[in-house]
Structures are given as structure tokens and as C-alpha cells.
Amino acid sequence: MPDCIFCKILKGEIPAKKVYEDEHTFAFEDLNPKAPTHVLVIPKKHIAGLKEALSEDAELVGRCHLTAARIARERGIEDGYRTVLNVGPKSGQSVFHMHVHLLGGRLLT
Ligand code: 5GP
Ligand code: ZN
């Protein structure tokens, strides 16, 4: 998707602090962190959001969450973290390339 900022991050056209990458997923630090750990995990395939995901994307949706769990384990924040998927403008979704927020490293109320 040429105008998608997260596709541009994937292609290296916009700089980002990479946290993790595998065949299907990519993770990077959120530009405006809301917690000591605030990482965004995206599928390498452009999917606009959860509501646009197809049943053939089920594995990718799961892989994004498992990548978040892996990063939480590596960072030692397994005593409490949150994964968030904003869906649609009224939820606060502002980037329309599906992403899982991984938030942790502080008390989450
Ligand atoms: P949303 O509100 O769509 O769920 O989350 C989008 C997130 O992407 C926000 O937390 C925002 O800070 C982050 N973000 C937006 N643009 C960029 C960018 O260019 N680089 C990085 N690293 N994060 C971004
Ligand atoms: Zn994209």
C-alpha cells in the first residue's frame, strides 16, 4: 500500500526503532509511547484493520499476538502487560494497517 505509513516503515522508507522481525511480523517502538514498553506489532501483509481481516488472515492475527507475547517475555514484563487492537476511527485507530499495541512496564489501571 503506497500511502500507508506502516508499509513505508516495513520498506525502510520511514525510520523506526525495530524491535523484532520474522517472516510474517514486524515490531517497532511506538513514536509516542504511553508506557515504558509501547511496541507496535504489524503483519508484513497490509491488512487495514481487524474488521478487514479475512479468515485466511487468521494465522497472521494470531502471529501478531504471539510476537507481542514473545517481546513481553524478552523484556521481563510478564507480570502484567496489555495488548490492544483499536478497530475503527471511534476506537482511536489512526493508522489503517492493522497493529497490536504491546503496553507494559508500569501498573496498567
Ligand atoms: P492507533 O491509534 O491507530 O491504534 O495507533 C497508531 C499508533 O502509531 C499510535 O500510538 C502512534 O503513536 C503510532 N505512530 C503513528 N505514526 C508513527 C510513525 O511514523 N512511527 C512510529 N514508530 N509510530 C507511529
Ligand atoms: Zn500498510
Side-chain angles (χ1 to χ4, degrees):
M1 269 290 178
D3 291 332
C4 170
I5 57 169
F6 286 178
C7 283
K8 286 184 178 169
I9 284 174
L10 272 174
K11 285 189 271 176
E13 292 172 7
I14 294 178
K17 283 191 203 157
K18 178 170 139 181
V19 173
Y20 175 82
E21 178 174 15
D22 62 26
E23 191 186 344
H24 301 287
T25 68
F26 188 86
F28 53 99
E29 303 284 353
D30 195 291
L31 200 58
N32 183 21
K34 303 284 193 302
T37 286
H38 190 172
V39 171
L40 302 174
V41 184
I42 63 173
K44 288 188 170 177
K45 175 187 174 187
H46 178 91
I47 301 170
L50 186 64
K51 64 189 163 71
E52 286 81 13
L54 306 171
S55 78
E56 70 202 42
D57 299 320
E59 192 185 323
L60 274 180
V61 175
R63 282 185 182 278
C64 286
H65 283 86
L66 288 177
T67 292
R70 178 191 184 117
I71 295 164
R73 196 178 315 123
E74 285 171 359
R75 293 199 171 186
I77 58 165
E78 286 185 299
D79 56 338
Y81 64 87
R82 185 171 289 157
T83 60
V84 176
L85 233 163
N86 292 324
V87 185
K90 285 186 180 169
S91 76
Q93 185 179 6
S94 60
V95 178
F96 292 87
H97 181 132
M98 192 181 78
H99 49 282
V100 173
H101 294 257
L102 167 64
L103 294 149
R106 68 166 167 80
L107 185 64
L108 299 165
T109 51

